[in-house]
Amino acid sequence: MCERSTANADSSGSIYVFDPGALTPAQLMGDACAICHAKWPRPRQPLGELPDGSEVFGCDECAGIVVAHNARSVRAHALAAH
Ligand SMILES: [Zn+2]
């Protein structure tokens, strides 16, 4: 009688979770872009987060790539609607 529905299925899938083992300490601390390692200009765009909830930052250019990747389904929908 106590069958529960999937109450934990609340992840929207919009936040990219980085693997801490694949990032350098500078990237983990937000001192370097999590994708291209650029330290200047200082990465300020949130790209995603670590499994512990810490934010991971990237440069403007890489943030654009991530956003485009995440918005792919949205763009496909827009194209279909056009
Ligand atoms: Zn970058």
Side-chain angles (χ1 to χ4, degrees), residues 33 35-38 58-59 62:
C33 173
I35 295 179
C36 71
H37 297 261
C59 64
C62 292

Side-chain angles (χ1 to χ4, degrees), residues 46-82:
L47 296 183
E49 61 183 36
L50 299 172
D52 69 1
S54 302
E55 278 191 304
V56 175
F57 294 93
C59 64
D60 288 346
E61 191 174 339
C62 292
I65 295 173
V66 171
V67 169
H69 178 77
N70 287 341
R72 197 167 47 181
S73 59
V74 176
R75 193 185 307 166
H77 178 74
L79 284 173
H82 183 60

